[in-house]
Structures are given as structure tokens and as C-alpha cells.
Amino acid sequence: MFNEIYKHTKYFVEECGKRTAGTEAVKKASDYIVDYYKKNGIKTEIHEFNVPVCEIEKSQLKFKTTEGWIETEHTAALFSRATPDGGITLPLVYAENGSIANLKDADVKGKAVLICRDVYMEYPDINMYKRLHEFGAAAVIYTTNDGHWDVPYVYANFETMDEEYTIPTAVIHYRTALKLLNNDVSEVFMDIKFNVEMKRSVNTIGVIEGRSKADENIVVCAHLDSAHGSTGATDDVAGVATFMELAKYYQQQAKAGNPPEKTIRFIAWSGHECGLHGSKYYLLDNPEIRNSVKFVFNYDVVGNTLCNYSAIGAAAPEVEAKLNEITEELELDWPMVMAPMVVDALNFAAMDIPHITLTSGSYGGNHTVNDSMKLISPSAFRNPVKFSKAIIEWASGNTEIKQGYPQELTEALKTTAEMYGWGLFGKID
């Protein structure tokens, strides 16, 4: 099984390449899944939806030094505001983490603001944009953390890119920012242009029908699309490859007369990176499924040869206790953390559906060319598969899974969704 998972991952990464949602590369990857499912007798469904595709037409960032203007390695935050024609030259001020006190002290009106922030883990968010707008900032530059290998591509919210508070946004490496501040650089030139189009993309679903509770659904999922500029090996097609083999396993079990009690849907999302669009529209377009999901097991960043796994999610205390019990029985020292995470499971949170995301966490290659097959090995899937089987077999069995979360966790999830403008809170009954 582990060699097959590795083989699937390698196909997605090396044969399909960069898989921005709405492109032919994602369609090619989806077709591969469909062919594999059909070959193994797995019922397959395709869900189509519209997704915004953002192409960077121009991205130039220069800082004025004693030696003149120096062009700087950076990425433009997708779906942020473009600069005026010809670019903009602005004074540059540093405002630490962007707190109100820092913005007041820095006098940011009409200037570009440099904010020290692990922007891969904390994307440009609506709250910060509104705060910067309140103080009159004209542009913002975020940093990576000090351990990121390269400058990642990150995303602002497509639905707010034309709001008055959204400003031109770029990302530079922590080391670059440190050098700039130590050399008293005080002026920046930005010239950023985007082309944004709506295109069709697909979610790819394999279905293993349940026996006694076929009208109840368990969702096992990961995202097929990759971030702009990356082939996304661990983030996240290794997760897709993992559940492809699990779907095959459970199909074989069903064929041998041992189907799950609940129906299992193995879903490869598209449109994750640009704002969780695939899971959002799947749930909006399929209310009968939305109202019958009892548990979600999501993957986001798995398959690393070197890793430290944890499961992050939301559940009632009784469900959390059971998940911890399963982990302890497997003798895996993997933390089970009940907390918000900006992944596709966030869309299910609006219905109070218990969910966990298995993740090896943030590492230096995310959203860059470094997220490649060099990070992955077949043996790296051994424990994720063992853990997955234990969780899926519990969730898809006869057991009743308590729905809902403690109130404070619900509020935290809602706050996170509102912060980025992603998720289905307030968009469904």
C-alpha cells in the first residue's frame, strides 16, 4: 500500500505539476483518480464549480539603499490589490506585528508598512487590512518566519479584493527584512498587476456505500490543488494519494462482505488554496449530503519523511476523549488539539460537525518549489495509514457520534472564519 501511495503522489507532482484550481493540471489529476477508482470498482462522482484563478502579470519590489534601488526577492499576495499603473513609490515604516500601538507610533498614513509575521501560518487577513486602512496605510509587506526556506505564495480573500480596505501586499523573507532594517532602508517601490478569471474546477469523490446507516456520511478528504508556484507534494496530494489507497481497501472489504455501516466519501477538493472554495460549493450544492455528514477526517500536509504529526480539530468532549483513546491504543504520541485551523474542515464547522485534520504542521518548504518528492518516502505513510484506518473504522461503524462543540470552541472557529472571510458561518441555515 505505501509504495502505491508514493506512486500516486509522484504522478500528481511530476506528471501533473503545479495544480492551480481551475487549470488543466487539476483536471488531469482528477481524471487519474477517476480512472483508478473505476479500475477498482469504486463508485465515483464529480462535482463542478466556479473558482477564481489569479495570475500574476507583473510583480516588482525594490528598496532604496545607499547604493541605489535594489530589486528584492518576494511574492505578491494573490487577490490583494494591484498597484496603480507604473507602480508606487512609498516611504517604508516598520510596525512590528501590526498592533494598534505600533501603527500609531510608526505614523503609517500614506506609507508602506513592514509587519513581522509568519505570513504562511497567518495569511493577510480582513481584520488587519481594516486596521491598516483605518490608519491610512497605502501598502503592506509581510515577512516569513525565520526558518522558511523560501518566500511562499499566500492568498488574500478573493471576495474582498476590491474593498476599499484592501491594499497592495507583498511578502519578503525574514532575512531580507532584517537586512533592510539594519541598513535603514526607508523607501520602497511596488509594481504589482494581476489577471483574475472565473473558471470551472472539480471535486473528485469516491463512494463506499454503508450498510445499516447508508444515509449517514463520513467524509475523508484532502485537497488536490497546489499553491501558486508549488507542486504541493506534502501539501496536499500525499493526502489524496493516501485516501485513494484507503478507498481501494474499503472497497475490497465491502466486496468481501464487510462494508462499513455508514457511507464513506473520499473527496479530493479543488479550490482549497484560493479560499476553501471546493468544499464550500460542494456543501452548498449538496444539502442532502451536508445534512448527513457525521464526521470529517481531513489531511493537510502529510507524507514527510521527517515529521511530527498532530490532529487538530473540533468535537464534543466525548468525541475528543474517544479520539485520544484511539491514539493511545495505537501508541502514537500525537497530540489531539481542539482548535481552529484554516483548512477545508472549517466549512463543516458551520454545521457543528466533528472533524480532525491530520497534519505534520508547518515546515520550511510550504507553498514554494521546495515542496517536492524530495520530502517524501513510502515508509512515511505507515503511521498515517495505521491512524487513518483506526479513525475511519470507528467513525464509519455503528457508533453514534455526538455532534456539536463546546461554546467557546464554536466561537473560536467562527472568529477564525470571519478573520479570513472563509468558511460557511452565516451562509447556511
Side-chain angles (χ1 to χ4, degrees):
M1 177 181 280
F2 311 124
N3 286 331
E4 288 299 308
I5 295 173
Y6 183 86
K7 173 184 161 187
H8 298 321
T9 306
K10 186 178 176 69
Y11 178 86
F12 292 136
V13 170
E14 297 185 354
E15 299 300 322
C16 300
K18 298 172 184 176
R19 301 171 310 285
T20 302
T23 64
E24 284 301 312
V26 164
K27 180 64 167 57
K28 182 177 180 179
S30 174
D31 289 345
Y32 176 83
I33 299 171
V34 170
D35 289 345
Y36 192 72
Y37 282 172
K38 288 181 177 178
K39 175 184 173 183
N40 288 283
I42 299 167
K43 179 182 175 183
T44 306
E45 299 172 356
I46 292 293
H47 170 249
E48 294 190 2
F49 60 98
N50 289 329
V51 64
V53 179
C54 186
E55 295 293 339
I56 300 172
E57 293 185 347
K58 180 187 290 187
S59 186
Q60 188 176 31
L61 188 69
K62 296 192 293 185
F63 293 93
K64 191 174 184 180
T65 71
T66 55
E67 299 175 358
W69 287 95
I70 305 297
E71 195 151 351
T72 303
E73 183 182 3
H74 71 286
T75 59
L78 290 98
F79 301 123
S80 62
R81 186 178 296 278
T83 56
D85 290 341
I88 50 174
T89 301
L90 300 168
L92 177 69
V93 292
Y94 174 54
E96 293 186 7
N97 68 348
S99 69
I100 291 173
N102 295 144
L103 295 177
K104 284 181 177 178
D105 290 345
D107 183 22
V108 302
K109 188 173 183 179
K111 301 173 184 176
V113 181
L114 175 63
I115 293 178
C116 185
R117 179 175 183 170
D118 181 358
V119 75
Y120 168 74
M121 291 301 293
E122 194 174 355
Y123 274 13
D125 66 275
I126 292 170
N127 293 345
M128 183 59 75
Y129 273 134
K130 288 181 177 178
R131 179 180 290 180
L132 291 167
H133 176 71
E134 178 185 350
F135 284 90
V140 59
I141 300 167
Y142 290 110
T143 71
T144 67
N145 68 28
D146 58 348
H148 220 91
W149 301 347
D150 204 344
V151 186
Y153 282 94
V154 299
Y155 294 75
N157 190 317
F158 161 70
E159 294 174 347
T160 63
M161 64 183 298
D162 293 324
E163 296 289 343
E164 63 176 358
Y165 53 74
T166 303
I167 54 180
T169 308
V171 181
I172 61 175
H173 200 278
Y174 179 95
R175 290 189 301 270
T176 302
L178 183 62
K179 183 177 180 180
L180 292 174
L181 294 179
N182 284 340
N183 285 279
D184 296 321
V185 170
S186 59
E187 203 168 5
V188 61
F189 171 80
M190 300 176 72
D191 192 2
I192 298 171
K193 291 284 183 295
F194 303 107
N195 178 53
V196 179
E197 295 182 58
M198 296 300 294
K199 296 185 179 180
R200 297 292 278 176
S201 202
V202 294
N203 295 317
T204 314
I205 304 103
V207 182
I208 309 297
E209 296 285 354
R211 180 165 45 193
S212 63
K213 297 186 175 183
D215 58 342
E216 296 185 9
N217 281 273
I218 304 302
V219 170
V220 181
C221 55
H223 65 87
L224 189 59
D225 60 313
S226 63
H228 187 93
S230 175
T231 56
T234 69
D235 185 17
D236 187 30
V237 287
V240 175
T242 299
F243 73 60
M244 285 172 66
E245 286 304 301
L246 289 168
K248 177 182 173 182
Y249 169 78
Y250 285 105
Q251 173 64 14
Q252 290 171 342
Q253 291 290 101
K255 190 174 180 180
N258 187 31
E261 301 302 326
K262 302 183 185 81
T263 296
I264 309 174
R265 293 181 175 272
F266 295 91
I267 308 179
W269 307 117
S270 175
H272 162 94
E273 296 291 3
C274 55
L276 315 182
H277 290 271
S279 52
K280 171 184 174 180
Y281 287 109
Y282 180 74
L283 293 172
L284 288 174
D285 293 344
N286 296 279
E288 72 288 351
I289 294 173
R290 180 178 80 221
N291 295 327
S292 66
V293 175
K294 300 302 179 184
F295 187 81
V296 177
F297 182 11
N298 183 54
Y299 302 91
D300 205 322
V301 186
V302 297
N304 312 58
T305 301
L306 287 171
C307 60
N308 284 292
Y309 281 103
S310 60
I312 302 173
E318 300 94 316
V319 176
E320 180 185 0
K322 181 61 182 179
L323 296 170
N324 275 309
E325 179 186 320
I326 292 170
T327 308
E328 289 169 10
E329 287 175 353
L330 296 173
E331 299 181 324
L332 293 169
D333 292 333
W334 292 358
M336 188 69 61
V337 182
M338 295 294 111
M341 188 176 182
V342 186
V343 293
D344 288 285
L346 188 63
N347 280 318
F348 292 86
M351 286 84 69
D352 289 336
I353 297 169
H355 61 265
I356 59 169
T357 294
L358 181 63
T359 181
S360 57
S362 172
Y363 69 98
N366 294 62
H367 287 209
T368 75
V369 295
N370 296 295
D371 189 359
S372 68
M373 294 303 295
K374 293 178 181 179
L375 300 176
I376 291 178
S377 62
S379 61
F381 295 101
R382 186 176 304 277
N383 281 332
V385 166
K386 180 167 68 172
F387 179 76
S388 298
K389 282 184 176 180
I391 297 295
I392 294 168
E393 284 165 16
W394 161 75
S396 63
N398 255 321
T399 183
E400 292 292 331
I401 304 174
K402 185 174 176 60
Q403 304 295 289
Y405 325 126
Q407 183 61 34
E408 62 272 20
L409 184 53
T410 298
E411 291 302 318
L413 288 157
K414 184 178 179 181
T415 297
T416 299
E418 290 174 347
M419 179 178 178
Y420 295 102
W422 295 350
L424 288 175
F425 284 93
K427 298 173 185 175
I428 57 172
D429 295 330

